[in-house]
Amino acid sequence: MNPPAAIHPPTAIQLTDVRKSFGRTEIIRGVSLEIRKGERHAIIGPNGGGKSTLFNLISGKFPVSHGTIKLNGEDVTNARPFEINRRGLSRSFQVTNIFPRLNVYENVRCSVLWSLGYKYSFWNDLNRLGDVKERTEEVLEQIGLTARRHIPAAVLSYAEQRALEIGITIAGGADVILFDEPTAGMSRGETEHAVNLIRTLSKDKTLVIVEHDMGVVFDLADRISVLVYGEILTTGAPEEVRANKAVQEAYLGVDA
Amino acid sequence: MTDRAAGSVRNIAWASYLRSYGLWVLAAVAIFALPHVFDSRANQSMFGQMGIFVVFALSYNMLLGQSGMLSFGHAVYFGFAGFISVHVMRIIESGFAFPVVLLPLFGAAAGLALGIIFGSFSTRRAGTVFAMISLGIAELVGALAFFIGFFGGEEGISGDRMSGPSLPGLSLGPQIQVYYVIAAWTLVAALLMYAITRTPLGRMANAVRDNPERAEFIGYNTQRVRFRMFALSGMFAGVAGALFAIQFEFLQFNNIGVAASGSVLLMTFIGGVGFFMGPILGAILVTFLELELVNVTQAWLLYFGLFFVLMVMFVPAGLAGLIMRHQPIWRAGILHKLAPAYGLALVPSLIFAVGAIGLIEIIYFTSTRAGLNTVMSVYTITFDAVKPLPWIIAGVVAAGGFVLCRLTFPTVRKVWDEVFLEAMAKLNR
Ligand SMILES: Nc1ncnc2c1ncn2[C@@H]1O[C@H](COP(=O)(O)OP(=O)(O)OP(=O)(O)O)[C@@H](O)[C@H]1O
Ligand SMILES: [Mg+2]
């Protein structure tokens, strides 16, 4: 019934000639990229290559210097972060970015409020919102912090904070999720746990992940883009990228 | 669900409500009984004033403690609503049939309206920009109040709370009636403000205070969150302003400017911005000191300043913070173990206080009455204030007390930490 969709799966994120300069230096130098709906897409590349900056552009933290960004077919170029989030995109941060004085439960609860439609309500008693409670507890269970719910986020261990970071990101139920190095600084066991978590949580969703651990990348990703000095060197399935000469020289060679 | 199950669920809900609102019932009883225990007119008036400033300080903490906005101009909303209320009182006097006890509704509307106007542009950022804008607005409005007829210029304006229709048995003549009207409004306003802390907006205000960037990535426009809190805070400040108008029947330019704004900041901070109870304690204590110190010493403003500096330096979490830090120790049942340490801290503190008070009194005396009478008395000791000896004695006592404090406080802190750890260990077991 739907042959065009089979040939061209609908896109979740579409970047067209996106550029970003800080002062005189151009950090993102004309990136065009299409993230398909439902795919798990990894972005790899050397330090300082512009991966986080690209995320900051897509999620609305910085305005672009040039180019357009579309989310689910709608133009979101230079929209504010909350507008982009309300249209179904959520992101995590490379450096943990949580609400330090609120406890774990409140951190997650804040992240589900908008998506459940409570907006700026000052007439609903939080503790009587069954849907909020249910969703919050579900997320806490998923990220394994149920037992730590009353602890202020600031005093969690590093790995726990990273788990909370993931929880805050997915709690609102966004269907496009960007993870910026979710496993950075984790031990091998913690990494494995986090990757399994991400795999479960991103089921039926579009996932874009920046990750340095090549094992994780080749294990998780449907497609991989290589970003080097603000340009996409190549995009393709893991085997293609692994076989690509330029990539081996620019990135993988150094790593292996 | 069976009837019995529904009933038990309802019981649990009741129990949880009682736990979070039980303290309120207690407060209500105390509020009712106080003016009968201390039943002089002056005391009843003081309790009324405490209620007014409890509402004002709580509204201020919606900004400072809950949303992380440091305002130097909150009296603008309080004062504006107060002036509006006095004007409405005058209109009532000339025939408008509106009960004065409901004036806080006008106050709330006035505070809300002004909060919406000034909040619309000042809440774009928190931090220094917001603080400076609030200061500018307070300076501006304070200056305008001096010139514009609406505020009555230097003389201020007055009204009569006994005019207009009154509810049966509520003429607002006797001070005790005024007190109960204020108390009722205080209770309602405080309950509403408490309820707001437990709503989506209230919680997001905390989130925006802690990390505005992240709040934007979970769907919230941080300016909208601040703006709404600001407008609501203006509304409750307006309620306090109207209560002020009812109690004093008079407002003047100095009720609306920077100085009045500084005073509510002081109360809130001394009480503690981190807890809902904080501003309540602060407003009660500061109002008490303001009214009572005047009777004890003319240099009360100096003491006040000193008290504030000491609180900010040594008890930045405020009274409520100080009390709450003892909670785990109290729950572990080992509060008594702190007694020796506190005794040790008390002695040098008292010595310092005695010296400092002597010094302040002498300074105040000589700087205000120099040339005329030079004989004064402190602690019933009479002496000549221009001779060096009293200065030296007071100075040495104060300095000695200070040094002793510096020497003993580390020990006190060490004991405190040990007791605290012991309490935590006990509770975690
Ligand atoms: N706000 C900013 N202002 C100026 N320069 C910036 C800013 N953000 C990033 N840069 C610069 O842009 C370049 C790319 O940084 P970015 O953080 O995007 O790299 P990355 O690929 O995420 O690196 P890493 O793997 O280390 O996280 C760096 O040279 C960085 O210094
Ligand atoms: Mg990065």
Side-chain angles (χ1 to χ4, degrees), chain B residues 234-261:
Chain B
M235 184 177 91
F236 286 107
V239 171
L243 295 176
F244 186 91
I246 293 177
Q247 161 123 339
F248 295 99
E249 303 174 291
F250 171 71
L251 265 97
Q252 213 185 1
F253 65 92
N254 60 8
N255 295 126
I256 204 171
V258 174
S261 302

PDB file of all heavy atoms in Angstrom, chain B residues 234-261:
ATOM      1  N   GLY B 234       3.624  38.818  43.633  1.00  0.00           N
ATOM      2  CA  GLY B 234       3.100  40.182  43.727  1.00  0.00           C
ATOM      3  C   GLY B 234       1.688  40.187  44.296  1.00  0.00           C
ATOM      4  O   GLY B 234       1.325  41.044  45.104  1.00  0.00           O
ATOM      5  N   MET B 235       0.916  39.184  43.911  1.00  0.00           N
ATOM      6  CA  MET B 235      -0.459  39.098  44.393  1.00  0.00           C
ATOM      7  C   MET B 235      -0.499  38.930  45.925  1.00  0.00           C
ATOM      8  O   MET B 235      -1.235  39.636  46.619  1.00  0.00           O
ATOM      9  CB  MET B 235      -1.165  37.918  43.726  1.00  0.00           C
ATOM     10  CG  MET B 235      -2.613  37.791  44.088  1.00  0.00           C
ATOM     11  SD  MET B 235      -3.394  36.440  43.210  1.00  0.00           S
ATOM     12  CE  MET B 235      -3.132  35.117  44.370  1.00  0.00           C
ATOM     13  N   PHE B 236       0.323  38.023  46.440  1.00  0.00           N
ATOM     14  CA  PHE B 236       0.309  37.805  47.885  1.00  0.00           C
ATOM     15  C   PHE B 236       0.919  38.990  48.635  1.00  0.00           C
ATOM     16  O   PHE B 236       0.486  39.326  49.741  1.00  0.00           O
ATOM     17  CB  PHE B 236       1.010  36.491  48.243  1.00  0.00           C
ATOM     18  CG  PHE B 236       0.186  35.288  47.890  1.00  0.00           C
ATOM     19  CD1 PHE B 236       0.513  34.485  46.813  1.00  0.00           C
ATOM     20  CD2 PHE B 236      -0.954  34.986  48.621  1.00  0.00           C
ATOM     21  CE1 PHE B 236      -0.264  33.380  46.476  1.00  0.00           C
ATOM     22  CE2 PHE B 236      -1.740  33.893  48.290  1.00  0.00           C
ATOM     23  CZ  PHE B 236      -1.393  33.092  47.215  1.00  0.00           C
ATOM     24  N   ALA B 237       1.925  39.633  48.033  1.00  0.00           N
ATOM     25  CA  ALA B 237       2.445  40.864  48.638  1.00  0.00           C
ATOM     26  C   ALA B 237       1.317  41.882  48.716  1.00  0.00           C
ATOM     27  O   ALA B 237       1.217  42.656  49.680  1.00  0.00           O
ATOM     28  CB  ALA B 237       3.610  41.406  47.815  1.00  0.00           C
ATOM     29  N   GLY B 238       0.438  41.876  47.708  1.00  0.00           N
ATOM     30  CA  GLY B 238      -0.711  42.781  47.694  1.00  0.00           C
ATOM     31  C   GLY B 238      -1.674  42.505  48.839  1.00  0.00           C
ATOM     32  O   GLY B 238      -2.213  43.429  49.456  1.00  0.00           O
ATOM     33  N   VAL B 239      -1.876  41.225  49.135  1.00  0.00           N
ATOM     34  CA  VAL B 239      -2.719  40.874  50.282  1.00  0.00           C
ATOM     35  C   VAL B 239      -2.124  41.466  51.559  1.00  0.00           C
ATOM     36  O   VAL B 239      -2.820  42.090  52.371  1.00  0.00           O
ATOM     37  CB  VAL B 239      -2.844  39.336  50.419  1.00  0.00           C
ATOM     38  CG1 VAL B 239      -3.527  38.964  51.723  1.00  0.00           C
ATOM     39  CG2 VAL B 239      -3.603  38.767  49.228  1.00  0.00           C
ATOM     40  N   ALA B 240      -0.796  41.304  51.711  1.00  0.00           N
ATOM     41  CA  ALA B 240      -0.122  41.846  52.894  1.00  0.00           C
ATOM     42  C   ALA B 240      -0.274  43.365  52.944  1.00  0.00           C
ATOM     43  O   ALA B 240      -0.527  43.937  54.021  1.00  0.00           O
ATOM     44  CB  ALA B 240       1.361  41.457  52.877  1.00  0.00           C
ATOM     45  N   GLY B 241      -0.140  44.017  51.782  1.00  0.00           N
ATOM     46  CA  GLY B 241      -0.276  45.473  51.745  1.00  0.00           C
ATOM     47  C   GLY B 241      -1.656  45.923  52.194  1.00  0.00           C
ATOM     48  O   GLY B 241      -1.795  46.906  52.942  1.00  0.00           O
ATOM     49  N   ALA B 242      -2.681  45.207  51.767  1.00  0.00           N
ATOM     50  CA  ALA B 242      -4.047  45.569  52.159  1.00  0.00           C
ATOM     51  C   ALA B 242      -4.239  45.374  53.659  1.00  0.00           C
ATOM     52  O   ALA B 242      -4.882  46.187  54.334  1.00  0.00           O
ATOM     53  CB  ALA B 242      -5.049  44.727  51.374  1.00  0.00           C
ATOM     54  N   LEU B 243      -3.665  44.298  54.201  1.00  0.00           N
ATOM     55  CA  LEU B 243      -3.761  44.063  55.648  1.00  0.00           C
ATOM     56  C   LEU B 243      -3.076  45.190  56.417  1.00  0.00           C
ATOM     57  O   LEU B 243      -3.555  45.645  57.453  1.00  0.00           O
ATOM     58  CB  LEU B 243      -3.136  42.706  56.009  1.00  0.00           C
ATOM     59  CG  LEU B 243      -3.845  41.468  55.455  1.00  0.00           C
ATOM     60  CD1 LEU B 243      -3.072  40.204  55.795  1.00  0.00           C
ATOM     61  CD2 LEU B 243      -5.268  41.381  56.002  1.00  0.00           C
ATOM     62  N   PHE B 244      -1.942  45.630  55.869  1.00  0.00           N
ATOM     63  CA  PHE B 244      -1.222  46.754  56.474  1.00  0.00           C
ATOM     64  C   PHE B 244      -2.128  47.985  56.510  1.00  0.00           C
ATOM     65  O   PHE B 244      -2.202  48.696  57.514  1.00  0.00           O
ATOM     66  CB  PHE B 244       0.044  47.031  55.661  1.00  0.00           C
ATOM     67  CG  PHE B 244       0.956  48.061  56.253  1.00  0.00           C
ATOM     68  CD1 PHE B 244       1.975  47.700  57.122  1.00  0.00           C
ATOM     69  CD2 PHE B 244       0.809  49.400  55.918  1.00  0.00           C
ATOM     70  CE1 PHE B 244       2.828  48.658  57.654  1.00  0.00           C
ATOM     71  CE2 PHE B 244       1.649  50.360  56.454  1.00  0.00           C
ATOM     72  CZ  PHE B 244       2.665  49.993  57.330  1.00  0.00           C
ATOM     73  N   ALA B 245      -2.837  48.215  55.399  1.00  0.00           N
ATOM     74  CA  ALA B 245      -3.734  49.368  55.322  1.00  0.00           C
ATOM     75  C   ALA B 245      -4.851  49.254  56.355  1.00  0.00           C
ATOM     76  O   ALA B 245      -5.239  50.242  56.979  1.00  0.00           O
ATOM     77  CB  ALA B 245      -4.313  49.486  53.919  1.00  0.00           C
ATOM     78  N   ILE B 246      -5.368  48.040  56.542  1.00  0.00           N
ATOM     79  CA  ILE B 246      -6.441  47.852  57.521  1.00  0.00           C
ATOM     80  C   ILE B 246      -5.925  48.118  58.935  1.00  0.00           C
ATOM     81  O   ILE B 246      -6.543  48.802  59.728  1.00  0.00           O
ATOM     82  CB  ILE B 246      -7.021  46.420  57.434  1.00  0.00           C
ATOM     83  CG1 ILE B 246      -7.753  46.235  56.099  1.00  0.00           C
ATOM     84  CG2 ILE B 246      -7.969  46.163  58.600  1.00  0.00           C
ATOM     85  CD1 ILE B 246      -8.288  44.831  55.881  1.00  0.00           C
ATOM     86  N   GLN B 247      -4.729  47.596  59.222  1.00  0.00           N
ATOM     87  CA  GLN B 247      -4.201  47.747  60.579  1.00  0.00           C
ATOM     88  C   GLN B 247      -3.832  49.194  60.899  1.00  0.00           C
ATOM     89  O   GLN B 247      -4.135  49.696  61.957  1.00  0.00           O
ATOM     90  CB  GLN B 247      -2.973  46.843  60.772  1.00  0.00           C
ATOM     91  CG  GLN B 247      -2.099  47.246  61.955  1.00  0.00           C
ATOM     92  CD  GLN B 247      -1.903  46.125  62.960  1.00  0.00           C
ATOM     93  OE1 GLN B 247      -2.684  45.176  63.021  1.00  0.00           O
ATOM     94  NE2 GLN B 247      -0.869  46.215  63.757  1.00  0.00           N
ATOM     95  N   PHE B 248      -3.131  49.867  59.964  1.00  0.00           N
ATOM     96  CA  PHE B 248      -2.612  51.199  60.301  1.00  0.00           C
ATOM     97  C   PHE B 248      -3.452  52.341  59.743  1.00  0.00           C
ATOM     98  O   PHE B 248      -3.247  53.491  60.105  1.00  0.00           O
ATOM     99  CB  PHE B 248      -1.157  51.321  59.824  1.00  0.00           C
ATOM    100  CG  PHE B 248      -0.231  50.385  60.539  1.00  0.00           C
ATOM    101  CD1 PHE B 248       0.166  49.187  59.963  1.00  0.00           C
ATOM    102  CD2 PHE B 248       0.216  50.689  61.815  1.00  0.00           C
ATOM    103  CE1 PHE B 248       1.001  48.316  60.638  1.00  0.00           C
ATOM    104  CE2 PHE B 248       1.054  49.815  62.495  1.00  0.00           C
ATOM    105  CZ  PHE B 248       1.447  48.627  61.910  1.00  0.00           C
ATOM    106  N   GLU B 249      -4.331  52.054  58.836  1.00  0.00           N
ATOM    107  CA  GLU B 249      -5.208  53.049  58.202  1.00  0.00           C
ATOM    108  C   GLU B 249      -4.420  54.202  57.602  1.00  0.00           C
ATOM    109  O   GLU B 249      -4.907  55.327  57.496  1.00  0.00           O
ATOM    110  CB  GLU B 249      -6.228  53.595  59.221  1.00  0.00           C
ATOM    111  CG  GLU B 249      -7.081  52.515  59.855  1.00  0.00           C
ATOM    112  CD  GLU B 249      -7.969  53.057  60.956  1.00  0.00           C
ATOM    113  OE1 GLU B 249      -7.416  53.439  62.010  1.00  0.00           O
ATOM    114  OE2 GLU B 249      -9.185  53.123  60.762  1.00  0.00           O
ATOM    115  N   PHE B 250      -3.181  53.930  57.260  1.00  0.00           N
ATOM    116  CA  PHE B 250      -2.296  55.007  56.828  1.00  0.00           C
ATOM    117  C   PHE B 250      -1.120  54.435  56.040  1.00  0.00           C
ATOM    118  O   PHE B 250      -0.525  53.443  56.444  1.00  0.00           O
ATOM    119  CB  PHE B 250      -1.775  55.758  58.064  1.00  0.00           C
ATOM    120  CG  PHE B 250      -0.693  56.745  57.774  1.00  0.00           C
ATOM    121  CD1 PHE B 250      -0.980  57.934  57.101  1.00  0.00           C
ATOM    122  CD2 PHE B 250       0.616  56.491  58.162  1.00  0.00           C
ATOM    123  CE1 PHE B 250       0.025  58.844  56.830  1.00  0.00           C
ATOM    124  CE2 PHE B 250       1.625  57.409  57.895  1.00  0.00           C
ATOM    125  CZ  PHE B 250       1.322  58.586  57.230  1.00  0.00           C
ATOM    126  N   LEU B 251      -0.789  55.035  54.899  1.00  0.00           N
ATOM    127  CA  LEU B 251       0.433  54.670  54.174  1.00  0.00           C
ATOM    128  C   LEU B 251       1.159  55.916  53.702  1.00  0.00           C
ATOM    129  O   LEU B 251       0.558  56.966  53.485  1.00  0.00           O
ATOM    130  CB  LEU B 251       0.132  53.775  52.957  1.00  0.00           C
ATOM    131  CG  LEU B 251       0.261  52.278  53.243  1.00  0.00           C
ATOM    132  CD1 LEU B 251      -1.106  51.700  53.538  1.00  0.00           C
ATOM    133  CD2 LEU B 251       0.940  51.553  52.105  1.00  0.00           C
ATOM    134  N   GLN B 252       2.479  55.744  53.527  1.00  0.00           N
ATOM    135  CA  GLN B 252       3.344  56.850  53.210  1.00  0.00           C
ATOM    136  C   GLN B 252       4.374  56.365  52.207  1.00  0.00           C
ATOM    137  O   GLN B 252       4.587  55.154  52.077  1.00  0.00           O
ATOM    138  CB  GLN B 252       4.046  57.262  54.507  1.00  0.00           C
ATOM    139  CG  GLN B 252       4.351  58.710  54.637  1.00  0.00           C
ATOM    140  CD  GLN B 252       5.156  58.943  55.896  1.00  0.00           C
ATOM    141  OE1 GLN B 252       5.475  58.005  56.617  1.00  0.00           O
ATOM    142  NE2 GLN B 252       5.499  60.178  56.149  1.00  0.00           N
ATOM    143  N   PHE B 253       5.050  57.302  51.532  1.00  0.00           N
ATOM    144  CA  PHE B 253       6.004  56.912  50.490  1.00  0.00           C
ATOM    145  C   PHE B 253       7.026  55.888  50.974  1.00  0.00           C
ATOM    146  O   PHE B 253       7.494  55.053  50.213  1.00  0.00           O
ATOM    147  CB  PHE B 253       6.706  58.151  49.919  1.00  0.00           C
ATOM    148  CG  PHE B 253       7.573  58.854  50.931  1.00  0.00           C
ATOM    149  CD1 PHE B 253       8.905  58.537  51.048  1.00  0.00           C
ATOM    150  CD2 PHE B 253       7.033  59.813  51.781  1.00  0.00           C
ATOM    151  CE1 PHE B 253       9.707  59.167  51.994  1.00  0.00           C
ATOM    152  CE2 PHE B 253       7.821  60.449  52.724  1.00  0.00           C
ATOM    153  CZ  PHE B 253       9.160  60.121  52.829  1.00  0.00           C
ATOM    154  N   ASN B 254       7.397  55.950  52.253  1.00  0.00           N
ATOM    155  CA  ASN B 254       8.450  55.026  52.695  1.00  0.00           C
ATOM    156  C   ASN B 254       7.960  53.587  52.880  1.00  0.00           C
ATOM    157  O   ASN B 254       8.733  52.702  53.202  1.00  0.00           O
ATOM    158  CB  ASN B 254       9.132  55.536  53.970  1.00  0.00           C
ATOM    159  CG  ASN B 254       8.158  55.680  55.107  1.00  0.00           C
ATOM    160  OD1 ASN B 254       7.002  55.258  54.995  1.00  0.00           O
ATOM    161  ND2 ASN B 254       8.601  56.272  56.198  1.00  0.00           N
ATOM    162  N   ASN B 255       6.664  53.333  52.674  1.00  0.00           N
ATOM    163  CA  ASN B 255       6.174  51.949  52.706  1.00  0.00           C
ATOM    164  C   ASN B 255       6.358  51.243  51.370  1.00  0.00           C
ATOM    165  O   ASN B 255       6.079  50.057  51.236  1.00  0.00           O
ATOM    166  CB  ASN B 255       4.674  51.921  53.057  1.00  0.00           C
ATOM    167  CG  ASN B 255       4.411  52.437  54.459  1.00  0.00           C
ATOM    168  OD1 ASN B 255       3.615  53.342  54.643  1.00  0.00           O
ATOM    169  ND2 ASN B 255       5.110  51.886  55.439  1.00  0.00           N
ATOM    170  N   ILE B 256       6.797  51.976  50.349  1.00  0.00           N
ATOM    171  CA  ILE B 256       6.789  51.400  49.003  1.00  0.00           C
ATOM    172  C   ILE B 256       8.190  51.308  48.386  1.00  0.00           C
ATOM    173  O   ILE B 256       8.391  50.655  47.373  1.00  0.00           O
ATOM    174  CB  ILE B 256       5.839  52.243  48.097  1.00  0.00           C
ATOM    175  CG1 ILE B 256       5.329  51.399  46.921  1.00  0.00           C
ATOM    176  CG2 ILE B 256       6.506  53.517  47.604  1.00  0.00           C
ATOM    177  CD1 ILE B 256       4.238  52.075  46.126  1.00  0.00           C
ATOM    178  N   GLY B 257       9.182  51.924  49.017  1.00  0.00           N
ATOM    179  CA  GLY B 257      10.478  52.076  48.345  1.00  0.00           C
ATOM    180  C   GLY B 257      11.512  51.011  48.667  1.00  0.00           C
ATOM    181  O   GLY B 257      11.191  49.894  49.075  1.00  0.00           O
ATOM    182  N   VAL B 258      12.770  51.406  48.492  1.00  0.00           N
ATOM    183  CA  VAL B 258      13.881  50.473  48.643  1.00  0.00           C
ATOM    184  C   VAL B 258      14.049  50.019  50.094  1.00  0.00           C
ATOM    185  O   VAL B 258      14.300  48.844  50.359  1.00  0.00           O
ATOM    186  CB  VAL B 258      15.187  51.126  48.134  1.00  0.00           C
ATOM    187  CG1 VAL B 258      16.374  50.230  48.416  1.00  0.00           C
ATOM    188  CG2 VAL B 258      15.075  51.410  46.652  1.00  0.00           C
ATOM    189  N   ALA B 259      13.882  50.955  51.042  1.00  0.00           N
ATOM    190  CA  ALA B 259      14.113  50.603  52.442  1.00  0.00           C
ATOM    191  C   ALA B 259      13.130  49.522  52.891  1.00  0.00           C
ATOM    192  O   ALA B 259      13.521  48.533  53.522  1.00  0.00           O
ATOM    193  CB  ALA B 259      13.975  51.839  53.325  1.00  0.00           C
ATOM    194  N   ALA B 260      11.860  49.699  52.540  1.00  0.00           N
ATOM    195  CA  ALA B 260      10.858  48.697  52.917  1.00  0.00           C
ATOM    196  C   ALA B 260      11.141  47.369  52.231  1.00  0.00           C
ATOM    197  O   ALA B 260      10.906  46.298  52.789  1.00  0.00           O
ATOM    198  CB  ALA B 260       9.457  49.195  52.559  1.00  0.00           C
ATOM    199  N   SER B 261      11.672  47.447  51.015  1.00  0.00           N
ATOM    200  CA  SER B 261      12.021  46.218  50.292  1.00  0.00           C
ATOM    201  C   SER B 261      13.185  45.511  50.971  1.00  0.00           C
ATOM    202  O   SER B 261      13.225  44.282  51.041  1.00  0.00           O
ATOM    203  CB  SER B 261      12.397  46.529  48.846  1.00  0.00           C
ATOM    204  OG  SER B 261      11.352  47.186  48.187  1.00  0.00           O
TER     205      SER B 261
END
